[in-house]
Amino acid sequence: MIDFLLFAVFTGLLLHGIHRKAIARIQGRPGPPIWQEILHSLKFSFKETWIPATASEVLFVAVVLVALGIWSAALFILLLEGSILMLFGIYMLHKIVEHGLGLSSGSPYGKFGAIRSVISAASEIPLFATIGAIYFVTGSLQLSDIIAYQAANGPLLLLMPPVAAAMYIVILSKMHYSPFAIIEAKEIVSGNRTEHFGVWRAALDVAFSLKTFVLLYAFVLIFIGGIPFAAVLVLMLLLLLSLSFVCALCPMLSPYDTVTMQSLATALVAVYLVAVVVIA
Amino acid sequence: MGTGVTGAICIAAGASAALDMLPLWGAGLLIVVAFPFFVVLLGLWWNASEGEGDIPFIGY
Amino acid sequence: MNSLAVPAIGGAELHVIEFGDIVNYFSPYTAMLFAFAVLFTVIAIVSRPERQVDIAFGGDAYYTKDIQPEQLKFQRFMAIACGLATLGAVVSGDVFNFTLFTSMVGITNIGIVAAYKNRHVLNAAFQYGIVAMIATVPLFGGAAIILATTGTLSMWELFGSAIAVPLIAKAFLVLGVMGEGMAPFYVAKAEITRAPGAPYVLIIHVSSLLLFLRVVEIVLSM
Amino acid sequence: MKPEGQGSIISRISRALSNYDYLAGVYALLVIIITIIGIVSLPFLAYEDVQVYPKHIDRSSPLDPYDRGGTPFNTTAVHAQYPDNSPYLGYVTAYLTPLSQFMADGSHHLGTTIVSHPGGIIDEILYNTRGLDTVVETSILFVAFTIAAYLFRRKD
């Protein structure tokens, strides 16, 4: 299990590097090498580290540990084919990590990042439309049951594309450089991560790489189903590249516009759900 | 010290799950608790030095 | 039937705490939510508030608001109360008990932010309070409709396939939790976040997210 | 930021939603919509009178609301001035306003022996043996009192 966790960490960091590289190439820049994010994390972990004098010490450190803990748990839920309700619960709890990162340091930039992360909490709503739809169609939220259902009826991606699109938007909103990534936009320095430097930043990079790995892996498992692990990795890479295209070509939205866009996405999925229920 | 202990817990949990000595969810739970401490303590063990806390970044 | 209906989407029942007619239970899902609530309640108990740094725009000056824990004593007390109410809500096996704990979370949230003196924060908190008060109507209305139509409030009974809960009751319940925890209406909450005392402000978000996660499980299961 | 009423439809919606003065209104609108749907669907909802007090008085029912021991309620010493106008004297539903009477006539859920108003169903819940609810309700009251006391005593 620990081996899979470490594998996920390094793959996730590599995926982050590929994401940056792809965006750079799409925008006509050379971009950093794809292992840049792995080097970054190592570099941060060697740096001098302290807790800012203004920070709320316990919270400042605890959110880093919580970030690592929840995403390791999410990975194990996928590995053991557990309940996707728990997986999405963890995804929601990640919001608390974002708030905590920004608020705990006392930095004005961190605070802006945290306030924006509160605003962008609407990004979780498409997720519940997704869960509701999956539960309605497959009759279970156990990942093993969903994979079995897809083995019998074909991938959910083809059975209910709007739901997959909603989940895609959810993943997009969590990518770096995405049009929804208002909490770490450049005008507020690094947003809620501004004060987490050194070892704290390295640990956060590890946690966020796990997050990217888990979200992509979950999308493939939920909407494509049980296929060999190598094929899963290839699909994750393709998914990431498509996300890179969106991130490279779309401008950053203004904070409240992201809320409106995500609410509209939810409304569309809700209309789709009602239509499915009425037809069925 | 802490790095070694938490790292050992992670490896032991992973190994005992592989050898069927521990249920998978139990091993997972152990790792979920130990792994975050391991990562942070590892960094704190090998990083440059400890300095005094300073005020946050306030712009260029 | 004297146990959680199987299969439950939150996982199998792990442990039960009985209070007469009201039963609290842990499933993997609610245990996870419970652990998270405990963690952040403990953080609110042990951690000191941060000192906010403000920049005076137009110059190089910055100043730090030095806030002593004594000044935020009441916020801490309310945050702990809010954490305890959240703990009650996430493990409750009874719809009415859940709604009671939810409205308690709403009130403690107002208590946390009402204690600040910043005018902007108080204005946002006022709007929040209005919404939380409106929300008690759909919240208890939902519980009342469930009782009137099914004759029971026990989640063990309601989660079984034998009992059909009307859609309107579920809609009321979700709407009530949305209002109490302000789940998707984050405008006022974002303004509240500007207040100092990170560990206590954070509890507002922890409680509303956990309540929302719990009500989603309840509504999907019924 | 463009002034009010300009920009694309999305940024106009965003601007309206970002003003927290509209918040209570937006939420109230949602509540009203769902409530109207609820009222429309009320005739289609079942009424579980095995567990909840029935609308019509059934002396033989173990749920008979007046059979709580003690002196039966209908032998009240209250003397009616106009017995014709208040045939149910001594009952909780003895006096219904015309609007309440109309609703009681048209619905299973209103105007039952004790449940003469919607909040009454909540009372029904509490008549059961529900200890923890009572504790939580008291806690809510205490919390509210604490907040009020703190705000009152706060030195500004």
Side-chain angles (χ1 to χ4, degrees):
Chain A
M1 288 183 104
I2 185 75
D3 45 339
F4 188 63
L5 184 63
L6 293 175
F7 168 78
V9 167
F10 283 102
T11 314
L13 286 171
L14 198 63
L15 288 173
H16 279 174
I18 295 171
H19 185 55
R20 275 183 79 173
K21 183 79 174 177
I23 289 176
R25 282 297 164 88
I26 293 162
Q27 293 174 340
R29 297 182 281 117
I34 56 169
W35 48 81
Q36 184 62 40
E37 295 289 327
I38 298 175
L39 298 181
H40 246 72
S41 306
L42 282 174
K43 178 195 77 177
F44 275 125
S45 76
F46 291 125
K47 288 205 161 195
E48 192 175 342
T49 302
W50 65 73
I51 297 171
T54 54
S56 166
E57 294 90 351
V58 178
L59 187 64
F60 186 86
V61 178
V63 279
V64 177
L65 298 173
V66 170
L68 280 164
I70 58 175
W71 288 108
S72 327
L75 187 76
F76 289 143
I77 291 171
L78 284 183
L79 188 66
L80 303 178
E81 302 194 338
S83 158
I84 60 169
L85 189 67
M86 286 179 80
L87 184 69
F88 291 138
I90 286 174
Y91 176 85
M92 291 279 278
L93 299 181
H94 178 70
K95 260 294 79 76
I96 302 300
V97 172
E98 289 178 357
H99 303 335
L101 286 177
L103 289 175
S104 61
S105 63
S107 155
Y109 298 102
K111 192 171 75 173
F112 282 129
I115 291 168
R116 287 185 172 195
S117 90
V118 178
I119 294 171
S120 71
S123 63
E124 271 74 32
I125 308 172
L127 200 60
F128 283 107
T130 312
I131 300 185
I134 291 172
Y135 187 59
F136 182 75
V137 171
T138 65
S140 172
L141 285 176
Q142 286 297 115
L143 198 52
S144 46
D145 293 346
I146 293 171
I147 292 173
Y149 179 89
Q150 294 185 101
N153 298 296
L156 287 176
L157 182 66
L158 303 177
L159 293 177
M160 29 185 208
V163 177
M167 171 99 181
Y168 188 82
I169 292 177
V170 167
I171 298 178
L172 178 64
S173 68
K174 282 284 168 260
M175 295 305 291
H176 301 295
Y177 315 106
S178 113
F180 296 112
I182 53 170
I183 57 165
E184 44 186 330
K186 290 294 168 234
E187 75 268 18
I188 49 173
V189 194
S190 292
N192 54 4
R193 285 188 293 160
T194 305
E195 287 307 318
H196 283 77
F197 53 92
V199 173
W200 317 126
R201 173 62 72 90
L204 283 180
D205 278 348
V206 169
F208 289 179
S209 71
L210 276 174
K211 178 191 73 181
T212 304
F213 185 89
V214 164
L215 288 178
L216 295 173
Y217 191 26
F219 185 92
V220 174
L221 284 186
I222 294 170
F223 288 104
I224 314 262
I227 45 176
F229 189 63
V232 170
L233 286 178
V234 172
L235 284 175
M236 282 166 64
L237 186 63
L238 289 177
L239 192 62
L240 181 85
L241 288 176
S242 76
L243 288 165
S244 303
F245 265 92
V246 179
C247 295
L249 299 175
C250 290
M252 178 79 74
L253 294 168
S254 79
Y256 278 103
D257 281 354
T258 63
V259 178
T260 313
M261 297 286 275
Q262 283 158 344
S263 308
L264 287 176
T266 316
L268 286 177
V269 177
V271 168
Y272 168 78
L273 254 183
V274 171
V276 168
V277 172
V278 167
I279 292 168
Chain B
M1 172 67 190
T3 317
V5 171
T6 49
I9 292 175
C10 287
I11 293 170
S16 51
L19 297 172
D20 281 338
M21 285 159 63
L22 207 63
L24 283 175
W25 63 265
L29 205 60
L30 268 180
I31 294 177
V32 164
V33 173
F35 182 67
F37 287 97
F38 171 68
V39 172
V40 169
L41 290 175
L42 182 71
L44 288 176
W45 170 61
W46 70 27
N47 79 342
S49 74
E50 71 273 21
E52 283 295 300
D54 203 350
I55 55 136
F57 175 78
I58 52 159
Y60 298 105
Chain C
M1 187 163 55
N2 269 322
S3 62
L4 185 61
V6 187
I9 61 169
E13 185 180 292
L14 299 177
H15 183 65
V16 179
I17 306 168
E18 289 174 11
F19 287 94
D21 201 32
I22 294 167
V23 174
N24 292 328
Y25 69 91
F26 290 88
S27 65
Y29 185 66
T30 58
M32 180 183 87
L33 301 184
F34 189 84
F36 205 78
V38 167
L39 181 66
F40 276 88
T41 310
V42 169
I43 288 176
I45 292 172
V46 299
S47 63
R48 294 164 58 88
E50 91 286 13
R51 293 187 288 152
Q52 288 190 337
V53 177
D54 274 336
I55 306 165
F57 282 102
D60 291 341
Y62 63 89
Y63 55 91
T64 309
K65 283 184 206 157
D66 214 346
I67 293 165
Q68 294 306 317
E70 294 75 49
Q71 286 170 273
L72 294 178
K73 225 193 238 167
F74 187 74
Q75 281 87 332
R76 172 181 285 186
F77 167 60
M78 276 295 141
I80 296 166
C82 183
L84 295 178
T86 312
L87 289 180
V90 293
V91 295
S92 185
D94 181 277
V95 177
F96 185 65
N97 213 235
F98 171 77
T99 59
L100 275 181
F101 275 119
T102 305
S103 64
M104 187 166 162
V105 165
I107 286 176
T108 50
N109 279 354
I110 296 168
I112 292 172
V113 288
Y116 291 108
K117 289 177 189 165
N118 180 319
R119 192 172 184 80
H120 184 74
V121 170
L122 282 179
N123 279 341
F126 175 71
Q127 297 294 334
Y128 182 4
I130 300 268
V131 170
M133 275 189 276
I134 303 174
T136 52
V137 175
L139 193 64
F140 290 116
I145 294 174
I146 289 174
L147 178 69
T149 53
T150 66
T152 179
L153 284 163
S154 158
M155 288 182 197
W156 282 353
E157 304 275 331
L158 292 169
F159 287 1
S161 51
I163 295 179
V165 175
L167 205 57
I168 189 75
K170 296 182 185 180
F172 268 137
L173 216 52
V174 172
L175 200 62
V177 172
M178 272 162 62
E180 291 289 352
M182 306 283 295
F185 302 102
Y186 282 105
V187 202
K189 220 167 176 186
E191 304 307 319
I192 288 166
T193 311
R194 295 178 197 276
Y200 321 126
V201 173
L202 203 58
I203 283 280
I204 301 177
H205 305 292
V206 173
S207 61
S208 68
L209 275 184
L210 292 179
L211 286 181
F212 197 64
L213 286 172
R214 179 75 173 127
V215 82
V216 165
E217 189 220 348
I218 293 172
V219 164
L220 281 180
S221 300
M222 282 194 304
Chain D
M1 202 84 170
K2 288 176 181 156
E4 196 85 27
Q6 281 183 30
S8 72
I9 179 77
I10 286 182
S11 59
R12 273 195 244 174
I13 297 172
S14 311
R15 215 165 21 236
L17 286 179
S18 68
N19 186 346
Y20 61 68
D21 287 335
Y22 298 155
L23 182 71
V26 171
Y27 185 73
L29 187 71
L30 277 178
V31 174
I32 290 168
I33 292 171
I34 303 281
T35 308
I36 288 174
I37 296 173
I39 290 172
V40 170
S41 67
L42 203 56
F44 305 106
L45 297 180
Y47 189 77
E48 184 77 13
D49 54 10
V50 181
Q51 279 280 38
V52 193
Y53 295 126
K55 180 159 175 166
H56 301 290
I57 297 170
D58 176 7
R59 287 285 174 222
S60 61
S61 163
L63 289 172
D64 184 4
Y66 306 111
D67 191 12
R68 294 188 188 283
T71 318
F73 208 40
N74 57 357
T75 59
T76 169
V78 178
H79 180 70
Q81 191 74 45
Y82 304 104
D84 291 351
N85 292 348
S86 48
Y88 299 108
L89 190 69
Y91 297 163
V92 179
T93 52
Y95 304 104
L96 289 178
T97 63
L99 181 63
S100 309
Q101 189 67 57
F102 171 74
M103 291 197 289
D105 291 344
S107 160
H108 289 301
H109 304 80
L110 303 170
T112 56
T113 49
I114 269 184
V115 192
S116 53
H117 57 98
I121 293 191
I122 302 292
D123 293 336
E124 298 282 293
I125 299 169
L126 293 175
Y127 281 126
N128 290 306
T129 52
R130 299 173 58 86
L132 192 60
D133 280 348
T134 331
V135 176
V136 183
E137 284 202 332
T138 323
S139 319
I140 295 174
L141 284 176
F142 269 119
V143 167
F145 174 74
T146 316
I147 297 169
Y150 172 79
L151 292 179
F152 183 73
R153 287 167 47 85
R154 176 166 72 174
K155 292 186 216 62
D156 273 320

